[in-house]
Amino acid sequence: MSRSRTRTTSSAYSNFSTVLQQVATGLWRAVKEARGNCVSFTPKKVLEYAGVSENVKPIVLTLVRYILDELVKSELLQKDEKRYRLCRYNMCEDGSMQENKLWELCKESDSPDKIIKLLSSLVE
């Protein structure tokens, strides 16, 4: 029994596609739950939005940060460079980021499936 439990735990952080799905789900929920037209989050907060809050391994946060940085390169997110120690990202509907396609896709989707496809095409 402990053997299967170990496999489940290790696959949760060693499988890049699982992390990609968690990031997509976290971004989708963050935008869906937004009360305004902008959300700000850290890599760990994205995982919390996705329902992953316990025992987050550093490698998972590194993978999440990599995915978010790729979204910054594609101009779908902004990186908040004002903070020295904390890596924070912003996604806005309007203002500094006009017509954010990721924001619109999250708002119009009923599930994170389209966001997963978008992230897969950008990152993998």
Side-chain angles (χ1 to χ4, degrees):
M1 184 169 165
S2 63
R3 209 179 234 186
S4 64
R5 187 175 181 181
T6 304
R7 285 183 188 162
T8 304
T9 305
S10 66
S11 68
Y13 69 86
S14 64
N15 188 350
F16 184 74
S17 63
T18 301
V19 175
L20 186 79
Q21 291 173 359
Q22 290 170 343
V23 171
T25 302
L27 292 174
W28 177 74
R29 283 197 181 135
V31 171
K32 282 293 197 181
E33 295 175 6
R35 294 183 181 175
N37 59 357
C38 195
V39 291
S40 180
F41 45 82
T42 62
K44 186 172 182 176
K45 189 67 175 176
V46 169
L47 292 177
E48 289 174 6
Y49 277 121
V52 180
S53 59
E54 294 181 8
N55 300 326
V56 177
K57 307 281 184 192
I59 186 67
V60 174
L61 293 174
T62 301
L63 293 174
V64 172
R65 189 171 177 178
Y66 168 75
I67 294 167
L68 296 176
D69 285 341
E70 289 299 310
L71 290 172
V72 169
K73 288 179 187 176
S74 300
E75 297 181 356
L76 296 172
L77 288 181
Q78 288 181 330
K79 194 169 186 177
D80 186 356
E81 301 288 350
K82 296 175 188 173
R83 302 173 197 273
Y84 174 68
R85 302 194 117 214
L86 186 65
C87 183
R88 183 169 285 285
Y89 298 86
N90 301 315
M91 182 178 9
C92 299
E93 179 183 23
D94 58 9
S96 58
M97 297 180 71
Q98 296 177 352
E99 297 180 16
N100 188 322
K101 294 176 184 175
L102 181 58
W103 180 277
E104 293 172 7
L105 188 62
C106 290
K107 277 294 189 183
E108 70 185 23
S109 299
D110 293 332
S111 72
D113 294 337
K114 291 180 181 179
I115 293 83
I116 292 170
K117 288 179 185 177
L118 175 67
L119 293 184
S120 295
S121 69
L122 292 174
V123 177
E124 292 180 343

